[in-house]
Amino acid sequence: MTPLQLNAIPLLSGAFFCPFDRSPEMMARLTWPDIAWGLTNTPRFGAQTAMPVTVGAHTLCVLAAARRLVWPDCALRGRDACEADRIVDGEIARAALLHDAAESILGDIPTPFKRHPAYAEVARMEESLQQAINERFGASDDAHRRPAVKDADNFALAVEAWVGHGLDARDWGYAVPDRWGALRDVAHDHIVCILRASGADVFNRLLDAGVEAMLCTEDEACAAYDRIDASWTNGDVPWWPKGGAR
């Protein structure tokens, strides 16, 4: 292996990504399917929930909630929207889909660690990576901090805390604003996703959302999904002893 490969993370796409290299050439290696796959496999709450709650499922909820918070009367303006509204919807969608993108590489770090003074340096690296990812996909470097996205992020957390732990987010100091009352169906869909959706389902939905938000092309999404299927049919691992166990 090359020195780069020894200090990089192998991605689903087959590329090697160095998380400390912010050059455009390196950032271009990280594709939306890579991010979507990482989010699909990353647990929240330290993987200690009663049923798996992934950052991928969380991201889908944030996307739906952020759109509804921007336009309370409909989840998505669609084809009847004016051009300005379609632009705003695209910006909200990209911001929501990317808001935890750095966690596809770093993983989700439980809140108690984030509150420890020793975490400060890791937090700076995570924020730097998140900003670089935002810019790589044409979003503003602080897109993940947009008010609608942060509000949707807290909403999704509140739903997950209840489903995964039976805990009321208000006991953790989170406010529950009245506007969340319009998100009942979003909460229901998120609960169903947590309880019933497979990892493949979540990954596929993230890919579709990425195509819609122009984070990747349809061909890139299909190729990524095919790569997942092919990865299980490659036969024996290359270093397995020939002729059986020794």
Side-chain angles (χ1 to χ4, degrees):
M1 298 182 74
T2 67
L4 169 62
Q5 292 173 335
L6 289 171
N7 291 284
I9 297 170
L11 302 173
L12 174 68
S13 60
F16 283 81
F17 177 73
C18 179
F20 305 109
D21 184 345
R22 301 289 184 265
S23 67
E25 295 78 15
M26 181 58 68
M27 294 306 303
R29 296 184 177 199
L30 185 63
T31 68
W32 171 247
D34 293 325
I35 292 171
W37 185 239
L39 298 178
T40 297
N41 289 299
T42 300
R44 283 171 58 78
F45 299 96
Q48 295 299 309
T49 49
M51 67 286 298
V53 179
T54 67
V55 184
H58 169 83
T59 298
L60 291 171
C61 181
V62 172
L63 172 63
R67 281 174 157 167
R68 184 66 60 82
L69 288 166
V70 172
W71 290 302
D73 295 333
C74 59
L76 176 61
R77 289 290 182 96
R79 295 183 180 183
D80 295 332
C82 67
E83 181 62 22
D85 283 350
R86 282 198 295 270
I87 291 173
V88 170
D89 182 75
E91 292 173 348
I92 289 293
R94 282 189 291 276
L97 288 169
L98 293 169
H99 84 281
D100 277 338
E103 294 183 6
S104 69
I105 300 297
L106 294 173
D108 178 61
I109 301 174
T111 299
F113 288 97
K114 294 181 178 181
R115 291 175 176 163
H116 193 281
Y119 177 74
E121 186 58 34
V122 177
R124 283 191 288 270
M125 290 189 291
E126 181 178 12
E127 180 66 16
S128 175
L129 178 58
Q130 181 64 54
Q131 291 179 1
I133 292 173
N134 289 347
E135 294 174 0
R136 181 255 184 273
F137 288 99
S140 62
D141 61 359
D142 62 347
H144 55 297
R145 299 189 183 281
R146 292 185 69 143
V149 173
K150 292 300 295 181
D151 198 13
D153 193 14
N154 289 337
F155 167 77
L157 180 146
V159 174
E160 293 154 5
W162 178 252
V163 176
H165 287 295
L167 296 174
D168 189 328
R170 291 172 294 185
D171 294 337
W172 286 347
Y174 287 92
V176 178
D178 291 341
R179 60 182 172 275
W180 285 5
L183 301 176
R184 181 178 294 273
D185 61 326
V186 177
H188 176 268
D189 290 346
H190 188 34
I191 293 170
V192 170
C193 182
I194 292 172
L195 294 178
R196 299 180 184 174
S198 67
D201 292 335
V202 171
F203 183 50
N204 198 34
R205 290 172 61 185
L206 286 170
L207 290 177
D208 287 345
V211 171
E212 182 185 348
M214 295 185 292
L215 298 177
C216 69
T217 66
E218 184 75 37
D219 287 345
E220 289 171 333
C222 290
Y225 203 83
D226 290 343
R227 194 173 296 114
I228 299 303
D229 287 339
S231 67
W232 299 106
T233 58
N234 288 335
D236 289 339
V237 290
W239 45 261
W240 199 258
K242 303 300 181 183
R246 293 177 181 174

